[in-house]
Amino acid sequence: MKLISEELLDSVTREAQGNPRLRMNYNFHESLDAPIHRLLNALEPGTYLPPHRHTDKEETYVVLRGSLLAFFYDDLGNVTEKVSLNSSAGIYGLEIPSGTWHSIIALESGTVIFEIKSGPYRSLPPEDIAPWAPAPSDLEGAAVYMKRMLEV
């Protein structure tokens, strides 16, 4: 049995806060080759997850605590939809269809989501990482991009 507790959420959050990327996964699946990936993803404000898509799988996010914004884009990078997920407001999660450009921004410290998607893990090919958004290595560009997304 694997228990999702406040203690576990606090532990993963502390790891995210100490990580330069401001996020940390806690995997429930045993290997990256597992057919289904189930994980906690602790996200701190300022973490940058560049817009991307998965052409071969859906993703499901359930907010266990905290809040975030999920953005959906067309092929040119225009925001087509913005969804606020907030456990205290009763908006808990969403499923992202295969092939959909998306990104998320954590709004509160201590935000943790439960994420489910098909495995096995494979790095995203370049064509599935948005060419119209900053690369993760562009820290200044990523900060400007996230600020702009928060104003959408």
Side-chain angles (χ1 to χ4, degrees):
M1 178 183 76
K2 297 177 181 178
L3 189 63
I4 299 172
S5 65
E6 195 73 21
E7 181 180 336
L8 178 58
L9 299 186
D10 288 345
S11 174
V12 179
T13 292
R14 280 191 301 275
E15 290 184 50
Q17 291 168 339
N19 185 310
R21 295 172 64 204
L22 296 174
R23 66 180 183 266
M24 183 58 63
N25 288 357
Y26 178 91
N27 294 344
F28 291 96
H29 50 281
E30 297 296 325
S31 80
L32 295 179
D33 290 326
I36 300 173
H37 287 200
R38 302 155 336 275
L39 57 130
L40 299 178
N41 199 343
L43 307 159
E44 289 296 303
T47 188
Y48 177 58
L49 291 99
H52 64 283
R53 65 183 174 188
H54 302 277
T55 56
D56 60 344
K57 63 184 82 178
E58 296 82 19
E59 272 186 294
T60 300
Y61 298 155
V62 177
V63 175
L64 299 178
R65 74 173 178 199
S67 62
L68 60 85
L69 292 173
F71 296 88
F72 300 91
Y73 309 88
D74 65 18
D75 288 337
L76 300 175
N78 300 304
V79 174
T80 58
E81 192 168 358
K82 177 172 86 170
V83 178
S84 175
L85 300 181
N86 185 327
S87 58
S88 32
I91 309 295
Y92 299 104
L94 56 83
E95 182 173 87
I96 302 165
S98 175
T100 303
W101 292 106
H102 63 282
S103 66
I104 56 177
I105 295 178
L107 299 176
E108 292 179 51
S109 183
T111 296
V112 181
I113 64 173
F114 185 73
E115 188 174 330
I116 305 164
K117 60 185 163 192
S118 298
Y121 173 79
R122 300 287 180 256
S123 295
L124 287 171
E127 62 270 15
D128 289 339
I129 299 170
W132 32 262
S137 59
D138 179 1
L139 301 180
E140 185 177 325
V144 169
Y145 182 82
M146 287 191 300
K147 184 175 188 273
R148 186 167 46 99
M149 288 297 96
L150 290 171
E151 296 169 355
V152 167

